[in-house]
Amino acid sequence: MKDEIKQRLQKTETWMRGLYMLLFIFVYGLMEFVIILVMLFQFISIVLSGHTNVQLLKFSQNLAAYVYQIITFLAFNSEQLPFPFSAWPSEKTQYIEDDQ
């Protein structure tokens, strides 16, 4: 039993994943701040112009997909490293409704 645990503790892949997880926990915290900024800017845009900012809608959709990638990686539902170790989520696969 002790030998099995010792072997698992010596796996560099496990420790590398742990380091990546720490990095993406930090990135996730930054993304929360960015999402708050996007929400505030969209609210100001609606108040001033009566419309949402379409470019910001596209960005926020991609940002939501990126946060999803981070969460799935952190929760061990995916082994794929999120951006910048893989491609930024593409808006080709996402639907944005233009409300103008």
Side-chain angles (χ1 to χ4, degrees):
M1 174 99 165
K2 286 185 179 183
D3 289 334
E4 292 175 13
I5 294 173
K6 186 177 179 182
Q7 287 176 346
R8 283 189 228 126
L9 286 173
Q10 292 176 342
K11 283 188 172 184
T12 56
E13 302 89 30
T14 304
W15 293 106
M16 285 303 296
R17 182 177 174 93
L19 289 174
Y20 283 125
M21 289 176 72
L22 288 175
L23 170 69
F24 284 110
I25 288 169
F26 175 74
V27 171
Y28 179 78
L30 287 175
M31 293 302 105
E32 287 179 332
F33 178 72
V34 172
I35 289 168
I36 291 170
L37 289 177
V38 169
M39 290 184 323
L40 291 174
F41 189 81
Q42 278 293 29
F43 180 76
I44 291 169
S45 178
I46 288 174
V47 168
L48 296 179
S49 70
H51 302 283
T52 56
N53 183 312
V54 176
Q55 294 300 324
L56 197 56
L57 283 176
K58 292 177 184 178
F59 173 73
S60 63
Q61 184 72 23
N62 291 342
L63 187 62
Y66 179 55
V67 169
Y68 178 74
Q69 285 180 351
I70 291 173
I71 291 170
T72 57
F73 177 74
L74 291 176
F76 288 86
N77 288 311
S78 172
E79 292 299 318
Q80 182 179 1
L81 291 170
F83 179 82
F85 301 100
S86 63
W88 179 258
S90 172
E91 53 186 81
K92 293 177 187 174
T93 59
Q94 299 164 7
Y95 176 72
I96 302 286
E97 184 175 327
D98 188 351
D99 64 348
Q100 294 181 358

